[in-house]
Amino acid sequence: MSIKFLAEDDRPREKFLLKGRNSLSDSELLAIIMGSGSRDETAVELARKILASVNNNWHQLSLLTIKDLTKFKGIGEVKAISIATALEIGKRRASQEIPEKPQISSSNDAYQILKLHLADLRTEEFWAIFLNQSNKVIHISRLTQGGINQSIVDIRIVFKTALDHFATGIIISHNHPSGNLKPSDEDIQITKKIKEAGNLMNVQLLDHLIITQKSYLSFADEGLL
């Protein structure tokens, strides 16, 4: 359905979904926060009026109290609190530093991350770390859970996740609850298949770790890639 055929109160949400958050005006963003307008005005119209009262300045809007906001017809206490809460979240976000992504420079770096998820499990699981071009971690994901002896991973899931996160490198890993670090024939075969698929998709398989409760084996370190 085209946006122009939708009720105006629904347009900001539809526009968000169809065109993305950056396509929304300030009044449309505020309208989504409020959820609805008044009996006489749509949410967008009411949002325009509120923003106009503070010269369309978000900082000035954040200075309004709940009492100030409820003076506008159609803004009750619940809507006023929603507006104030959204502005407070924005303020806190602006004051925080972007967390630094850990960088993988060795198999031990990957092991220190993955052992938290895999070392103490009684059944096998298959995990992957997805990296950017600087080998910084952009996503960590459990891809499968298996039984005591085996956890089979679907290669399509591995690379769908990589593409979803725009990864250029992958480190795969699974645990051996038995404590045996020796890779099985199946471990070697799945590693080969993932590496070959990565070569086709320009997503490099950097390592495969087998993790036990006390230690790990790196395919890269052992020359098995």
Side-chain angles (χ1 to χ4, degrees), residues 36-72:
S36 63
S38 68
R39 183 175 298 176
D40 302 320
E41 296 174 303
T42 67
V44 174
E45 290 169 340
L46 180 55
R48 288 196 194 106
K49 181 184 291 185
I50 294 170
L51 287 168
S53 73
V54 291
N55 297 314
N56 295 301
N57 187 292
W58 290 107
H59 294 289
Q60 290 299 115
L61 182 60
S62 69
L63 298 177
L64 298 186
T65 65
I66 299 299
K67 186 176 181 181
D68 293 331
L69 290 167
T70 55
K71 289 179 181 178
F72 291 93

Side-chain angles (χ1 to χ4, degrees), residues 141-154:
S141 178
R142 179 178 65 191
L143 300 177
T144 62
Q145 292 175 275
I148 295 174
N149 299 317
Q150 194 175 38
S151 179
I152 302 299
V153 66
D154 188 329

Side-chain angles (χ1 to χ4, degrees), residues 163-190:
L163 294 174
D164 286 345
H165 293 277
F166 302 97
T168 59
I170 306 172
I171 295 173
I172 58 175
S173 180
H174 74 284
N175 61 310
H176 280 182
S178 66
N180 180 13
L181 284 172
K182 183 179 178 180
S184 66
D185 291 339
E186 290 81 7
D187 295 338
I188 294 170
Q189 287 301 313
I190 194 65

Side-chain angles (χ1 to χ4, degrees), residues 153-223:
V153 66
D154 188 329
I155 296 175
R156 293 170 297 181
I157 294 175
V158 175
F159 287 98
K160 179 184 184 303
T161 308
L163 294 174
D164 286 345
H165 293 277
F166 302 97
T168 59
I170 306 172
I171 295 173
I172 58 175
S173 180
H174 74 284
N175 61 310
H176 280 182
S178 66
N180 180 13
L181 284 172
K182 183 179 178 180
S184 66
D185 291 339
E186 290 81 7
D187 295 338
I188 294 170
Q189 287 301 313
I190 194 65
T191 304
K192 181 180 178 181
K193 289 178 180 179
I194 291 174
K195 182 178 180 179
E196 290 173 350
N199 290 339
L200 290 173
M201 303 185 71
N202 202 25
V203 179
Q204 186 179 5
L205 177 63
L206 300 172
D207 206 346
H208 183 175
L209 301 187
I210 296 175
I211 293 177
T212 66
Q213 192 171 38
K214 296 182 179 179
S215 189
Y216 74 99
L217 178 138
S218 160
F219 276 53
D221 293 350
E222 298 296 324

Side-chain angles (χ1 to χ4, degrees), residues 6-35:
L6 297 169
E8 188 167 357
D9 272 344
D10 293 329
R11 291 182 191 176
R13 300 180 188 87
E14 286 295 322
K15 189 174 178 181
F16 187 109
L17 292 172
L18 292 171
K19 295 187 175 182
R21 68 189 74 177
N22 292 330
S23 69
L24 297 177
S25 67
D26 286 354
S27 57
E28 288 170 330
L29 289 170
L30 183 56
I32 289 175
I33 292 169
M34 294 190 302

